[in-house]
Structure formats: structure tokens, C-alpha cells
């Protein structure tokens, strides 16, 4: 059986993202995604979306109770911490493959100045944590006149 180039590299000739992320974390510690802390056992995938009135962060955390996830905000840094526990196996059962990551995770994101840190909210549903970060009301620039009278 012959392997085609596309079987390893993908149809566009690029390295698959999972392999690229693993290589980045192994070889380029200082250049890897800074939102994934070194002490974490795994890092859940995130999508970050900006809308007109808010920012949205979607965090994939299947198997993690949303009530056990800690979200905090300090000095412009949003921090998400949690843990996915290993399922307890029965005495006579054996796993032939274990691919799902488990253990502690910790992600951090620097928020822009336009983020309203006082009104952040979060919802968890179907293994996805949705964090809503409203934007501050924009203030119109104001022209300041120079007093020339002496």
C-alpha cells in the first residue's frame, strides 16, 4: 500500500494544525501560544470573535462541569482554569487507545482597552463555554481649545 503525500500533509500541502501546534510547543517554547501556560496538562481549543458591541470567546471543554471552571479578570488579563478528570475504569476493562486529554488546564488572554471588564458573563452548554465580553461605550473625541489670553 502506498501512502500519498496528501495522506500526511493534507490536500493543500500544509502541515495539519494539530501536528504544527505540537511541534511549536515542543521546539519553540518561547514562540508558542502564550495563552497556554506551561503548567497545564492540556489546553482546550478556543475561538475568539469580535462583534460591534462585544467580544466572544468559545472554549471547547467537553466532559468538564461548567460550575468547576474558574474565570477571573485581573489587570486586563482574562484567566480560565479548570480540570478534566480521568474516567475511572472497571477492574476487568482495558483501554486500547486513549486520545482524550485530561488534567488541569489554564488559558489566559489579554483583553483590549475597549473591553468592559465589569460586565463579563459566561454560559456553559453542550461542552462549550461561551464568555461574553461587552465593549465599553465609545466616547467621541473632544477638541480642546487653547487659551491665548494673557
Amino acid at each position: 500500500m502506498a501512502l500519498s503525500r496528501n495522506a500526511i500533509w493534507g490536500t493543500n500541502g500544509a502541515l495539519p494544525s494539530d501536528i504544527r501546534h505540537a511541534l511549536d510547543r515542543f521546539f519553540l517554547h518561547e514562540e508558542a501560544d502564550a495563552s497556554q501556560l506551561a503548567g497545564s496538562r492540556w489546553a482546550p481549543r478556543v475561538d475568539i470573535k469580535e462583534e460591534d458591541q462585544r467580544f466572544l470567546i468559545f472554549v471547547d471543554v467537553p466532559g468538564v462541569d461548567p460550575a468547576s471552571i474558574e474565570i477571573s479578570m485581573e489587570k486586563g488579563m482574562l484567566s480560565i482554569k479548570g480540570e478534566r478528570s480521568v474516567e475511572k475504569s472497571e477492574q476487568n476493562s482495558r483501554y486500547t487507545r486513549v486520545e482524550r486529554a485530561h488534567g488541569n488546564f489554564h488559558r489566559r488572554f489579554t483583553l483590549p482597552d475597549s473591553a468592559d471588564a465589569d460586565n463579563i458573563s459566561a454560559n456553559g452548554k453542550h461542552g462549550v463555554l461561551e464568555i461574553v465580553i461587552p465593549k465599553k461605550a465609545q466616547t467621541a473625541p473632544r477638541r480642546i481649545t487653547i487659551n491665548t489670553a494673557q
Side-chain angles (χ1 to χ4, degrees):
M1 178 177 129
L3 284 176
S4 70
R5 179 177 187 265
N6 292 343
I8 297 171
W9 293 98
T11 56
N12 63 358
L15 201 60
S17 63
D18 290 343
I19 295 172
R20 188 175 65 248
H21 289 297
L23 291 173
D24 285 347
R25 287 175 51 194
F26 184 73
F27 290 111
L28 306 172
H29 294 287
E30 68 280 357
E31 295 179 27
D33 184 358
S35 71
Q36 301 177 25
L37 297 181
S40 297
R41 299 274 318 262
W42 67 286
R45 303 283 188 185
V46 297
D47 290 340
I48 301 174
K49 179 180 179 184
E50 181 177 0
E51 296 179 346
D52 290 338
Q53 301 299 317
R54 64 187 183 167
F55 299 97
L56 295 168
I57 300 177
F58 299 98
V59 186
D60 284 345
V61 285
V64 179
D65 181 7
S68 70
I69 297 173
E70 179 185 326
I71 303 171
S72 60
M73 177 68 188
E74 183 179 352
K75 297 180 183 175
M77 184 75 65
L78 181 74
S79 180
I80 307 166
K81 293 182 190 178
E83 180 178 4
R84 181 163 45 205
S85 301
V86 178
E87 290 182 21
K88 294 181 179 166
S89 61
E90 299 171 14
Q91 283 186 355
N92 295 332
S93 66
R94 291 186 305 153
Y95 284 103
T96 57
R97 178 178 285 194
V98 177
E99 293 183 349
R100 297 184 306 158
H102 62 278
N104 297 325
F105 66 87
H106 188 180
R107 300 287 310 257
R108 294 189 322 183
F109 303 94
T110 303
L111 298 181
D113 292 336
S114 62
D116 183 359
D118 295 330
N119 293 307
I120 295 174
S121 62
N123 299 303
K125 184 169 54 171
H126 302 297
V128 177
L129 178 66
E130 178 185 60
I131 302 171
V132 179
I133 307 161
K135 290 183 179 179
K136 294 178 183 175
Q138 296 292 331
T139 56
R142 183 176 70 113
R143 181 171 173 87
I144 300 171
T145 57
I146 301 172
N147 188 357
T148 57
Q150 290 188 19

